[in-house]
């Protein structure tokens, strides 16, 4: 039995209730109106306007180049489509690391200009003060630990994080700091399943995994990966439900052929 009525809006409180009732949370990224409309109608619980937009929407190699203005543009489009899901927006690289005042100003811009419901930021103890300041202004914050793509040049690779004991211990401590600071939920990216299970058990806030195994409170994927729009990206944690790259490629080839052979438009397709 679901803890929320079909038509009722998902809030941070609903997610807490879902954790306590052991109902898994389904989260996906979204960057545009049309896709968000489909995902919301399908019943997704949380939509993340991820800074992965930098990769899948703009074609950048990393998440670092995307700006606050660009995130607000994507977020506004998603918010306009959504009737039920909780919309969380990534604070982009460079919009919160400077100091807590900057973090608060960036969060306020996102909330005011996009109409989103919460923000997400990467990091542990080093962003505690920023999280507290954002929350004190009434803005819910989701944390993100493990593989944090905004630090890719520090890591040097996108491989699994926290396999060694020292990094695992630090991650557990950071997770507790984030909960203590007031985060309403936490994303764990690409870490051993046993470690994610431990964190989800220790924390009272929902823990949402991506490449973090099944024993967490919910799952998130980049929607373009799930739909097979991103060619050649097949990490072990990804379940690809469609191959839209091939589907769209085939449809466009048919269109080109129909145009060239004068098959399109036919008599019924004109005025
Ligand atoms: O930006 C993003 O898509 C994310 C998810 C991978 C959690 O942060």
């Amino acid at each position: 039995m679901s803890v929320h009525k079909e038509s009722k809006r998902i809030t941070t409180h609903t997610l807490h209730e879902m954790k306590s009732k052991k109902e898994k949370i389904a989260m996906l990224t979204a960057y545009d109106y049309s896709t968000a409309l489909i995902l919301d109608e399908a019943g997704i619980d949380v939509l993340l306007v991820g800074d992965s937009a930098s990769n899948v929407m703009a074609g950048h190699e990393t998440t670092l180049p995307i700006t606050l203005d660009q995130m607000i543009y994507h977020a506004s489009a998603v918010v306009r489509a959504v009737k039920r899901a909780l919309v969380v927006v990534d604070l982009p690289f460079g919009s919160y690391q400077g100091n807590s005042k900057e973090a608060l100003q960036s969060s306020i811009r996102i909330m005011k200009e996009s109409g989103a419901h919460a923000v997400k930021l990467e990091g542990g103890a080093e962003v505690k003060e920023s999280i507290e300041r954002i929350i004190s202004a009434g803005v819910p914050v989701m944390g993100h630990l493990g593989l944090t793509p905004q630090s890719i040049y520090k890591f040097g690779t996108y491989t699994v994080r926290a396999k060694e004991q020292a990094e695992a211990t630090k991650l557990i401590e950071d997770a507790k700091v984030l909960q203590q600071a007031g985060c309403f939920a936490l994303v764990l990216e690409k870490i051993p399943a046993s470690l994610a299970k431990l964190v989800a058990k220790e924390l009272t806030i929902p823990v949402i995994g991506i490449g973090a195994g099944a024993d967490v409170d919910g799952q998130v994927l980049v929607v373009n990966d799930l739909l097979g729009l991103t060619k050649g990206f097949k990490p072990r944690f990804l379940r690809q439900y469609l191959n839209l790259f091939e589907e769209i490629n085939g449809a466009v080839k048919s269109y080109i052929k129909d145009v060239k052979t004068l098959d399109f438009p036919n008599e019924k397709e004109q005025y």
Side-chain angles (χ1 to χ4, degrees):
M1 181 63 176
S2 175
V3 298
H4 50 84
K5 294 208 177 70
E6 281 308 302
S7 56
K8 230 177 137 196
R9 259 201 184 280
I10 304 285
T11 66
T12 57
H13 300 282
T14 323
L15 302 185
H16 278 246
E17 232 186 309
M18 288 169 83
K19 172 159 179 146
S20 63
K21 301 227 165 104
K22 295 193 178 351
E23 180 183 342
K24 299 283 184 187
I25 297 162
M27 168 165 151
L28 279 174
T29 64
Y31 317 100
D32 69 277
Y33 176 84
S34 306
T35 312
L37 201 65
I38 299 169
L39 304 184
D40 191 56
E41 264 197 42
I44 199 77
D45 298 313
V46 185
L47 283 179
L48 171 67
V49 184
D51 58 358
S52 49
S54 178
N55 309 107
V56 298
M57 292 286 111
H60 293 296
E61 213 173 293
T62 73
T63 58
L64 275 63
I66 200 158
T67 66
L68 187 57
D69 284 337
Q70 288 165 341
M71 288 303 296
I72 290 169
Y73 169 80
H74 286 295
S76 320
V78 168
V79 167
R80 279 194 286 274
V82 166
K83 290 199 176 73
R84 177 181 170 279
L86 182 83
V87 180
V88 183
V89 182
D90 263 335
L91 281 166
F93 178 69
S95 72
Y96 65 96
Q97 289 92 346
N99 55 59
S100 62
K101 209 168 158 194
E102 181 191 40
L104 175 61
Q105 275 165 357
S106 302
S107 304
I108 288 177
R109 275 204 62 201
I110 287 178
M111 301 299 281
K112 251 188 193 302
E113 296 176 40
S114 76
H117 312 129
V119 298
K120 172 165 90 58
L121 50 73
E122 297 181 5
E126 70 280 9
V127 287
K128 178 176 180 276
E129 198 188 313
S130 295
I131 291 171
E132 285 169 343
R133 194 155 190 170
I134 298 167
I135 294 171
S136 73
V139 178
V141 178
M142 179 180 271
H144 185 159
L145 293 172
L147 177 66
T148 45
Q150 291 179 12
S151 302
I152 187 58
Y153 291 116
K154 184 177 87 182
F155 298 143
T157 155
Y158 283 102
T159 53
V160 181
R161 302 305 314 172
K163 286 208 299 208
E164 306 301 329
Q165 190 54 49
E167 196 179 333
T169 305
K170 168 86 168 72
L171 188 142
I172 296 167
E173 279 167 14
D174 278 339
K176 288 179 182 166
V177 168
L178 295 185
Q179 172 167 281
Q180 178 72 29
C183 283
F184 72 90
L186 171 65
V187 166
L188 291 179
E189 180 166 355
K190 234 175 166 185
I191 62 166
S194 54
L195 175 60
K197 179 181 179 178
L198 189 74
V199 175
K201 206 165 149 247
E202 288 280 317
L203 299 193
T204 55
I205 58 171
V207 173
I208 301 177
I210 172 164
D215 293 316
V216 284
D217 306 305
Q219 299 293 328
V220 55
L221 284 175
V222 168
V223 69
N224 296 50
D225 300 338
L226 170 145
L227 297 175
L229 270 169
T230 33
K231 203 183 179 193
F233 182 70
K234 291 212 176 75
R236 182 164 154 178
F237 67 77
L238 173 65
R239 187 175 293 179
Q240 193 185 302
Y241 287 81
L242 282 175
N243 190 341
L244 274 192
F245 191 98
E246 290 306 326
E247 292 279 323
I248 295 173
N249 186 279
V252 173
K253 278 184 176 151
S254 300
Y255 167 72
I256 294 168
K257 182 176 119 297
D258 291 350
V259 170
K260 305 265 181 201
T261 58
L262 308 186
D263 182 72
F264 176 79
N266 63 26
E267 287 206 350
K268 286 188 193 145
E269 291 163 330
Q270 55 189 292
Y271 301 100

